[in-house]
Amino acid sequence: MLRRAIAPAALMIVGVFFGGYAIFGPNGALAYGDIERQLAVKQQQLAMLDKARSELKNRVDLLDPKHADPDLVDELARKDLGVAHQDEMIVPLGK
């Protein structure tokens, strides 16, 4: 009789283990709120990175050798050559 009870008891232990893991584990039902909070944080970080990426893409497009923006080229050249001061303000003139 004891030998017949070993298999169902082992299956029950395995079932309880996986059931507990499904409820209390890191991806379980109780962790759903934390997962949603992490998702909101990651979406906010993604939005910030997308904004930074679009700003960098705009600067790269302005430096295209075929039609570079003269103001940006002048700004970068003065900065790299060390002839611009940090408190210097560049005032664009109307064309």
Side-chain angles (χ1 to χ4, degrees), residues 4 15 18 23 27 31-32 34 38-41 43-44 46 48 70 72-73 82-84 89:
R4 281 194 257 163
F18 284 116
I23 294 172
N27 295 328
Y32 185 71
D34 188 46
Q38 289 176 2
L39 177 63
V41 169
Q43 286 175 338
Q44 188 178 29
L46 177 63
M48 289 176 16
L72 183 60
V73 171
V83 294
M89 182 181 294

Side-chain angles (χ1 to χ4, degrees), residues 58-74:
N58 183 36
R59 286 183 69 92
V60 167
D61 290 342
L62 289 174
L63 289 174
D64 185 15
K66 295 177 184 171
H67 50 84
D69 182 41
D71 292 333
L72 183 60
V73 171
D74 181 54

Side-chain angles (χ1 to χ4, degrees), residues 7-85:
L11 289 174
M12 180 155 316
I13 291 171
V14 170
V16 167
F17 173 76
F18 284 116
Y21 193 78
I23 294 172
F24 300 109
N27 295 328
L30 296 180
Y32 185 71
D34 188 46
I35 291 171
E36 282 187 333
R37 184 188 56 77
Q38 289 176 2
L39 177 63
V41 169
K42 295 296 181 186
Q43 286 175 338
Q44 188 178 29
Q45 289 175 349
L46 177 63
M48 289 176 16
L49 288 173
D50 279 341
K51 181 181 176 189
R53 180 181 173 268
S54 65
E55 290 173 0
L56 286 174
K57 184 180 182 316
N58 183 36
R59 286 183 69 92
V60 167
D61 290 342
L62 289 174
L63 289 174
D64 185 15
K66 295 177 184 171
H67 50 84
D69 182 41
D71 292 333
L72 183 60
V73 171
D74 181 54
E75 175 188 335
L76 292 175
R78 290 170 56 95
K79 180 180 160 188
D80 288 345
L81 294 174
V83 294
H85 300 285

